[in-house]
Amino acid sequence: MVSLRSSPNVNRWVQLIRRLATDRRVVLFVYVAVICVVSVLEFLKHPRILEGNTYPHYNTYLIFKFSFAHLIHGQDLYSAYPHEHFDLFKYSPAFALFMGLFVWMPDVVGLTAWSLLNSLSLCYAILRLPIRSESTRVAVLWFILLELITSIQGCQSNGLVAALLIWSFNHLESRRLGLATLCIILGSFVKIFSLAGFLLFLFYPDKVKSVTYALLWGAACTLFPLAAISGDQLMVLYKSWFLLLTNDLSLSVGFSVMGWLQTWFNLSVSKTLIICGGLVVLCLPLLRKEAYEHDLFRTIFLAALLIWVVIFNPKAEKQTFILAVSGVAIWYFSQPTTAVSTTFACFAFILTTLSSTDLFPRFLKDEFVVPYVLKVVPCILIWFRAIYDLLIFSYSPRPARTLVHAPRVKAGP
C-alpha cells in the first residue's frame, strides 16, 4: 500500500499550495478581490430603519462623504443630519476635506475605493515590516484578513489608522523621520489615539528633529481646511470637535478593558485612571534602554502599542479590532513560536476574529461573546504577555540592527 504522505502527487500539491500561500502576489490578489466583493455586497444590502429613517448599510461611508459637503458649505460638521445619514461625524476637519477625493464617485465606486485604500495601505505596510522573512509577513496578512473584512463591512477607517502606525515604524527603522512623523500626525487627525505612536520615537536618535517635524506636520494638517473655509469657521469647528469628543468619551465603555472590568466584575473605575494606568504599564519596558538597539524588542513594542490603542479605548467596537489583531499577528509571527504563544494566537483568532463572523455559532455569540465582551479578552492577555516579554526576556541574541552606528537600513525585502 502506498502512503499518501509519500505520494509524489500529494507532495507536489502540498509544495504548490505552500508556494502560493507564501507568495505576496497571491495574497495581494486575494485582498483586492475579497475587498471589492465585500464592498459591493455592502452596497447591495437592503437598507436599515433606524429611529424612523431608512439608511443604507454603508451609512458610515456616507458620514465621511457628506462631511466634505458640510465643510465647504460652512455647516457644522458635528451636528446631526438625519436626512443624510445616521449618527455623527467624529473626525477632524482635515479628514472631512480629504474625503473630497471620493465625493465625485458613484457610491458603489467610492465605497470600494475607500475600502481598498484602507486595506491595501495596511497590506503594504505589513509587507514592508522588518521582520524575519517575506513568508512571515505574508502569514501576518493571512492571519488578519478576516478581521480586516469585519472592519471593511463597517466602512471604517481603522485599516488606514493601523497602516499609518505601522508605516511610521517602518520609516523610523529606515531613518525617514519626516515621513514617520507625518504618518503619526495623519493618523491622529483620524483617530486621536494614534498620538500614542510617538512613543516609538524614543527608540531612535535625532529626537529634536522628530519634534520639529511633528510640529510642522501638525500645523500643516491643522490649517489644511483653510483651503476651503475661513479661519473663524475653522476655529468654531475645532471647538465643536473637542466638545463632541469629550462628551462621546464619557458615554460608553466598548470592547475594552473598561468594558471587561464592568461586565465581569461590576467595576466602574474612572476611564481616565484606567487609560493612564495602561499607558504607564505600556511605558515600563521603555526603562530598558539597553534593549532599544535590538530589532525584536522594537517590533514587539509596536505590537503592544497596536493592541493598547484598542483595549484601552472606551469607544472600541468590533470594527476597531483590526489594529489589535494586527498587533497580535506581529507579536506572534515576529519571534520563534512556542506552545504558549500559539495557544494565545489561536485563542485570539477564535474569540476575537471568528466571533465577529457568520462562521461563529450565533447562540454563542449572542449569549456569551457580546454580553461578556469576550472579543477583547484574548487581546488583553496577549498585551500583558507582550509587556512581560519586553520586561523579562533577553534580546541580546539578536542585535540585528543598531540604531546609532549602523548604516541606513531598508525596511522590508
Side-chain angles (χ1 to χ4, degrees), residues 32 63 81 110 113 116 128 150 173 249 264 335 346 395 401:
V32 171
I63 296 176
Y81 296 94
L116 286 172
R128 299 296 293 177
T150 298
E173 289 289 295
L249 184 64
W264 284 39
Q335 55 188 321
C346 292
Y395 291 90
R401 294 185 299 278

Side-chain angles (χ1 to χ4, degrees), residues 18-33:
R18 184 176 298 172
R19 284 199 301 271
L20 291 175
T22 56
D23 191 325
R24 68 156 60 192
R25 293 169 298 183
V26 173
V27 75
L28 284 171
F29 174 80
V30 170
Y31 263 63
V32 171

Side-chain angles (χ1 to χ4, degrees), residues 245-252 271 314-315:
L245 291 179
T246 303
N247 294 332
D248 196 46
L249 184 64
S250 64
L251 295 176
S252 64
K271 295 173 188 174
K315 296 299 296 180

Side-chain angles (χ1 to χ4, degrees), residues 12 48 100 104 109 131 172 175 211 254 287 303 307 336 359 362 393 402 407:
R12 280 198 294 269
R48 296 172 292 182
W104 60 273
V109 178
I131 57 175
L172 284 169
R175 313 301 185 272
V211 171
L287 297 175
I307 299 172
L359 299 174
R362 180 166 293 277
F393 285 8
T402 56

Side-chain angles (χ1 to χ4, degrees), residues 153 232 258 295 386:
Q153 287 175 327
D232 291 340
M258 292 74 98
D295 60 329

